[in-house]
Amino acid sequence: MAAGRLGLGAALGAALLARLGLVLYGLHQDGAMRVRYTDVDYRVFTDAALLVTEGRSPYGRATYRYTPLLAWVLTPNIYLAEVFGKLLFVAGDLAAAVVAYLALRRRGSTAGQACGCCAAAWLFNPLPMAISSRGNAEALVALLVLATLYLVEGGSVGKAAVCYGLAVHMKIYPLTYALPIALRLQSKPCVGKGAGGGRHPKFTLIAYPWRLFVKVLNRDVLLFGAVAGSVLAALTVVFYHLYGWEFLEHAYLYHLTRRDIRHNFSPYFYMLYLTAESKWSFALGLAAFLPQLLLLLVVSIAFYRDLAFCCFLHTAVFVTFNKVCTSQYFVWYLCLLPLIMPNVKMSWHHSVLLLFLWLVGQGLWLAPAYFLEFKGYNTFLLIWLAGLVFLLINSVIIVQIISHYQKEEHVAKKLKQW
């Protein structure tokens, strides 16, 4: 135990130094080079925080599409130093790793195994390191999501609901976890083999979901829903009172009706781009949610007994099939990857091959995107084709993870104890 904690402390120390080094390098690059290291959203956050300190609405800053809570939290950017927000995001980044470590220990992993998973998938992963050090707030959402899952599996339903309400307020996507969390709370996990953790004949495909929904409204589910709903409602009422309709429009509704016609990893972008002026554009944008909703429903019912694995699949499916997909979205499921790594029984060669395919898929997209954005060439068709290839690669990876995932018996016993 002591050795495991020492290993985690050393990993956290090294990860902190690496992130602080990137923050310092970012200050140099921002001042010396034309291309800035700092994320453009960080400037938006800081400008919104400035407006808050002046007693004005953060939505006076164009493109601020976030909760006012974030602008409030970042007011030290104005009062102390502009780098405060980056340091806060780095702290949230490291705290997320600590919560993931604790969750792994609760799930039965050894201290060394838990530390190794957190280090490999998160602490020394270049993407989370870059995201937080460039001034993106995704690490705070990752921390709240991980805390929610950790507390749910530990039986602290009320505390989990508070974290969940905050997470949904910060970002809409954790709302998709509501169904698997409710299903998990209505039934104690059972010991079983495979990711699904249960044995249900194929002919119960309709009867089984119906039984789940009938049983779902128990005390824990009602408590979780009441507390999470109260937290979300309280924040919504307060900020609506302060900032009116523009708060609802920019913090919530914009993300539900967003139709981003700029090039991104989603293959939907080209369809939305070509139909931007069509009367069917809005309907097509809503229709893009249908594959997501269907897959999320199937994943919830099939894998809810292992909540961490279910939420990982949820997020991976949501990001892969979303109508807008950028690199920062990958952090949404990467923060959950450490929790499932010990149970993915896959050879190193197989794992490296899948990682290689994932990186190649991004490279195939980035090449035509570069020529479009920096050279002005018309590469929209190539970007769309690359997006389709990336969608296929991600789908293959998700299927491979499901097929190689084995919920070990000691994990089920650990989860059953609460």
Side-chain angles (χ1 to χ4, degrees):
M1 176 67 73
R5 289 179 178 175
L6 182 63
L8 178 64
L12 287 171
L16 174 60
L17 290 176
R19 284 161 172 78
L20 291 179
L22 288 173
V23 170
L24 292 175
Y25 170 77
L27 295 176
H28 165 72
Q29 179 173 324
D30 289 349
M33 301 183 188
R34 183 178 178 182
V35 179
R36 294 173 59 86
Y37 179 82
T38 300
D39 195 315
V40 65
D41 282 344
Y42 192 69
R43 170 51 55 190
V44 175
F45 298 159
T46 303
D47 290 345
L50 176 60
L51 292 174
V52 168
T53 63
E54 296 172 348
R56 300 158 61 190
S57 169
Y59 301 107
R61 175 48 159 102
T63 72
Y64 186 77
R65 314 288 191 187
Y66 311 93
T67 167
L69 184 61
L70 183 59
W72 286 17
V73 169
L74 295 182
T75 51
N77 279 19
I78 310 303
Y79 294 127
L80 298 178
E82 191 171 317
V83 75
F84 170 84
K86 292 184 179 180
L87 299 179
L88 176 65
F89 299 155
V90 165
D93 192 349
L94 299 180
V98 173
V99 176
Y101 172 85
L102 295 175
L104 280 166
R105 297 288 289 134
R106 172 170 285 163
R107 290 166 64 84
S109 296
T110 64
Q113 187 182 43
C115 182
C117 291
C118 292
W122 187 256
L123 286 175
F124 299 111
N125 186 325
L127 184 58
M129 291 172 66
I131 291 291
S132 60
S133 63
R134 293 182 68 225
N136 194 289
E138 298 298 339
L140 300 182
V141 183
L143 173 60
L144 290 170
V145 167
L146 285 166
T148 299
L149 302 186
Y150 173 73
L151 292 167
V152 167
E153 292 193 337
S156 301
V157 178
K159 295 177 182 178
V162 172
C163 292
Y164 182 71
L166 286 170
V168 174
H169 179 73
M170 292 286 290
K171 287 280 186 180
I172 295 293
Y173 83 88
L175 187 63
T176 66
Y177 301 155
L179 180 57
I181 289 175
L183 293 175
R184 171 66 175 77
L185 289 174
Q186 62 83 34
S187 175
K188 290 185 178 181
C190 302
V191 177
K193 297 180 180 180
R199 294 172 181 164
H200 297 279
K202 292 183 179 179
F203 60 80
T204 64
L205 185 61
I206 297 177
Y208 178 51
W210 175 250
R211 288 199 303 270
L212 289 178
F213 286 116
V214 169
K215 296 191 302 179
V216 78
L217 296 180
N218 65 5
R219 176 185 174 276
D220 286 340
V221 174
L222 293 175
L223 174 62
F224 186 90
V227 174
S230 297
V231 170
L232 185 59
L235 290 169
T236 301
V237 168
V238 168
F239 289 128
Y240 180 79
H241 174 73
L242 292 174
Y243 304 116
W245 176 257
E246 63 179 356
F247 156 64
L248 295 178
E249 180 182 3
H250 294 293
Y252 295 143
L253 301 179
Y254 169 81
H255 300 284
L256 295 175
T257 60
R258 180 181 181 183
R259 292 178 294 116
D260 197 334
I261 60 174
R262 296 187 61 188
H263 55 287
N264 60 82
F265 285 106
S266 173
Y268 286 119
F269 100 88
Y270 196 42
M271 176 190 70
L272 297 176
Y273 171 77
L274 294 176
T275 61
E277 303 300 325
S278 169
K279 64 180 181 179
W280 298 102
S281 180
F282 181 75
L284 289 172
L286 292 179
F289 283 119
L290 294 178
Q292 277 181 313
L293 293 176
L294 178 61
L295 290 171
L296 293 178
L297 179 62
V298 171
V299 167
S300 296
I301 294 174
F303 303 110
Y304 72 89
R305 284 181 175 81
D306 189 341
L307 186 59
F309 183 57
C310 185
C311 289
F312 171 83
L313 292 179
H314 247 248
T315 316
V317 166
F318 182 87
V319 172
T320 299
F321 290 88
N322 200 32
K323 59 183 178 181
V324 180
C325 180
T326 63
S327 296
Q328 71 186 53
Y329 289 15
F330 303 154
V331 175
W332 296 355
Y333 57 79
L334 286 177
C335 71
L336 298 172
L337 182 59
L339 304 187
I340 71 167
M341 283 180 65
N343 302 107
V344 179
K345 306 303 181 181
M346 188 182 296
S347 68
W348 278 104
H349 296 89
H350 199 160
S351 302
V352 170
L353 175 60
L354 294 180
L355 176 61
F356 176 74
L357 287 175
W358 189 66
L359 295 174
V360 166
Q362 294 178 63
L364 290 175
W365 184 92
L366 288 170
Y370 169 83
F371 283 103
L372 171 66
E373 190 164 344
F374 292 100
K375 300 296 184 180
Y377 298 163
N378 183 358
T379 58
F380 280 102
L381 182 59
L382 292 177
I383 292 174
W384 175 66
L385 292 173
L388 288 176
V389 172
F390 193 51
L391 172 66
L392 176 62
I393 290 173
N394 279 289
S395 300
V396 169
I397 291 174
I398 291 172
V399 170
Q400 287 296 303
I401 290 176
I402 293 174
S403 62
H404 288 82
Y405 187 85
Q406 296 178 6
K407 184 177 176 183
E408 296 177 2
E409 193 166 314
H410 73 273
V411 175
K413 288 180 178 178
K414 283 280 184 179
L415 295 178
K416 193 174 182 180
Q417 290 174 359
W418 73 267

